[in-house]
Amino acid sequence: MKAVLMTAPGNPEVLQLREISNPLPPQNTELLVRLKAAGVNPIDTKLRKRGTFYPDKMPAILGCDGAGIVEAVGNQVKRFRVGEEVYFCNGGIGVSEAMPKASRQGNYAEFTTVEEHFVAAKPKSVSFIEAAAAPLVLITAWEALYERGRLEPGEKVLIHAGAGGVGHVAIQLAKLKGADVCTTVSSKEKADFVKNLGADCGINYKENDFVKAVLDWTNGEGVDLAFDTVGGETFEKTFPAIRFYGDIVTILQPSDATNWKVARQRNLRIGLELMLTPMLQGLKEAQAHHGEILAECASLLDEGKLKICVNRTFGLEEVGKAHQLLEAGSMIGKLVIGIG
C-alpha cells in the first residue's frame, strides 16, 4: 500500500510517500479499513516537528483522523461488517510495542487497522472528506464543553478561535446545548463565518480587548465557561473574563510561567482536555466513549444540526503541503487528505 512515512523529526520534507506492506489481517475485535480520507490536525504537525510520543521507534505514520470502508473484520467484531462506511480517531501518535497493534499506525495511508470500540458508522449525509475532518475536533469540543466544562442551557460561553477546527464545532455544540456563545476571531471574514454558525458575539481580538468586550457582553459578570483552544498567554489573559466560580477548559499545556492569582481570586475551576489520553493510556472504556460521541455526532450531522467546514483537500503526495498550510495559521475550518 501507499503510505506517508515520517522518517525523522523535522520540517515537512521528512514526510515521504512510500510503498509499504499492507497491515496484517485483523484479529479479535479489530477492523481493517480501506481509508478514503484522513484529517490533518495540529497534533500531526507538532509530532512531526518534535518527534512522536515514541521517538525511538521510526519511521512512523501520522494522522489521527480517518474515514473509510471496512475491508475485513476480526472474529470477535460485533458492530461492523465488511463494506460498511466508518469514521474514527485512532493511531498517528507513533509506535510503541506496548500499544495494541491496531493503534500503532496513523491514517496517512491506504489501509489501517483499528479496534472497533474507537469506531462509529460514518454519517450518511457527508462525504468521506468531511467525515475524516471531524473525529478529533468533535471529541475534543464535546469533552471540553459538555464533560470538563459542564455546560448547561442558558449559560454564556467564550470560545477562542471560533473559526478554527475545534472552535467551529465548539460553537455549534454550545448552541445545541442552549448556550449563548461569544468567540474570538481575527478578521471580518471569520466574524461572518462564526455568525453563520450561530455565534451570538464575534470579537476581533486584533482590534479589541477581548476581555473588555466579553465583560461588556455579560454586563460586567463574565462568562460561565471559557474554552481555550489557543494556549500561551491567551489562557492567562482569559481569567478576568470569567465569572466568579466559573470554568475555563484548555486543550493546551499551561505554561510554567502562568500567574494563577486572578484564577484563584475568582475561584475558577480549571479543566484540562487531551482527547488522546484514552489511546495513550490504553483506557478501553474511554476509547468506547469516544466511539459513542462520534455516533451521537453522526446523528447530529445527518439531522443537519451540525456541519464540518473543510477548507482544502490534498492528495497523499501533498501531505507536506498540508502541514505547511496548517502551520501558517489563520485558517478557517479543517484540512483533509483524500486517499484513493
Side-chain angles (χ1 to χ4, degrees), residues 145-328:
L145 294 175
Y146 294 174
E147 297 173 9
R148 306 290 173 273
R150 304 166 178 84
L151 185 64
E152 295 290 340
E155 290 188 332
K156 294 186 182 296
V157 57
L158 165 64
I159 297 169
H160 280 300
V166 174
H168 89 283
V169 296
I171 290 170
Q172 297 173 76
L173 290 176
K175 293 302 295 182
L176 285 170
K177 194 69 170 180
D180 295 323
V181 178
C182 179
T183 186
T184 56
V185 295
S186 60
S187 68
K188 175 65 165 58
E189 178 189 12
K190 291 182 178 180
D192 292 340
F193 175 72
V194 299
K195 182 178 180 181
N196 288 334
L197 293 175
D200 300 284
C201 174
I203 302 168
N204 188 327
Y205 67 87
K206 291 186 175 181
E207 298 177 353
N208 302 280
D209 179 341
F210 77 82
V211 173
K212 181 180 184 304
V214 168
L215 292 175
D216 288 345
W217 182 62
T218 58
N219 297 316
E221 292 187 3
V223 293
D224 300 284
L225 168 64
F227 181 24
D228 169 34
T229 69
V230 178
E233 62 181 13
T234 299
F235 175 67
E236 183 181 326
K237 284 183 176 181
T238 303
F239 295 161
I242 306 166
R243 68 168 175 81
F244 290 95
Y245 301 96
D247 285 86
I248 181 169
V249 179
T250 183
I251 61 174
L252 285 306
Q253 174 72 39
S255 167
D256 291 341
T258 300
N259 185 337
W260 298 96
K261 183 177 181 180
V262 173
R264 183 170 182 269
Q265 289 175 337
R266 300 181 78 82
N267 261 304
L268 302 186
R269 184 164 49 188
I270 312 297
L272 305 175
E273 167 60 25
L274 177 63
M275 64 79 57
L276 296 177
T277 295
M279 182 166 48
L280 285 167
Q281 303 299 329
L283 307 176
K284 288 191 175 181
E285 288 187 8
Q287 292 166 2
H289 181 51
H290 282 185
E292 293 166 356
I293 291 172
L294 292 180
E296 292 198 46
C297 288
S299 296
L300 293 172
L301 285 159
D302 283 339
E303 292 167 8
K305 297 178 180 178
L306 186 63
K307 58 185 177 181
I308 302 295
C309 173
V310 175
N311 184 294
R312 186 172 168 184
T313 304
F314 296 81
L316 264 180
E317 72 282 1
E318 299 177 303
V319 170
K321 292 181 180 179
H323 276 222
Q324 288 178 330
L325 181 58
L326 185 59
E327 289 177 302

Side-chain angles (χ1 to χ4, degrees), residues 14-156:
V14 303
L15 301 172
Q16 300 290 323
L17 183 61
R18 302 278 178 82
E19 190 75 31
I20 65 172
S21 299
N22 285 359
L24 295 173
Q27 303 294 313
N28 302 321
T29 55
E30 297 173 353
L31 308 175
L32 176 65
V33 178
R34 180 186 293 271
L35 289 159
K36 304 295 288 184
V40 182
N41 293 290
I43 184 63
D44 303 353
T45 63
K46 292 175 182 177
L47 294 180
R48 190 213 72 235
K49 284 192 296 185
R50 73 184 186 210
T52 72
F53 286 97
Y54 312 101
D56 57 326
K57 299 288 186 179
M58 295 293 288
I61 299 175
L62 301 178
C64 298
D65 282 337
I69 301 171
V70 178
E71 187 85 358
V73 300
N75 59 10
Q76 296 177 27
V77 169
K78 297 179 179 179
R79 297 189 296 116
F80 298 98
R81 296 180 181 179
V82 172
E84 289 191 301
E85 299 178 350
V86 296
Y87 78 140
F88 53 88
C89 181
N90 178 70
I93 60 174
V95 179
S96 166
E97 294 304 320
M99 297 169 65
K101 176 170 64 69
S103 294
R104 295 177 191 174
Q105 182 198 305
N107 297 301
Y108 295 170
E110 292 182 316
F111 293 91
T112 194
T113 309
V114 56
E115 287 281 351
E116 73 167 329
H117 45 262
F118 280 102
V119 177
K122 182 183 78 66
K124 294 180 174 61
S125 61
V126 306
S127 67
F128 283 110
I129 294 293
E130 292 167 302
L136 185 147
V137 296
L138 287 175
I139 295 167
T140 297
W142 184 288
E143 289 188 336
L145 294 175
Y146 294 174
E147 297 173 9
R148 306 290 173 273
R150 304 166 178 84
L151 185 64
E152 295 290 340
E155 290 188 332
K156 294 186 182 296

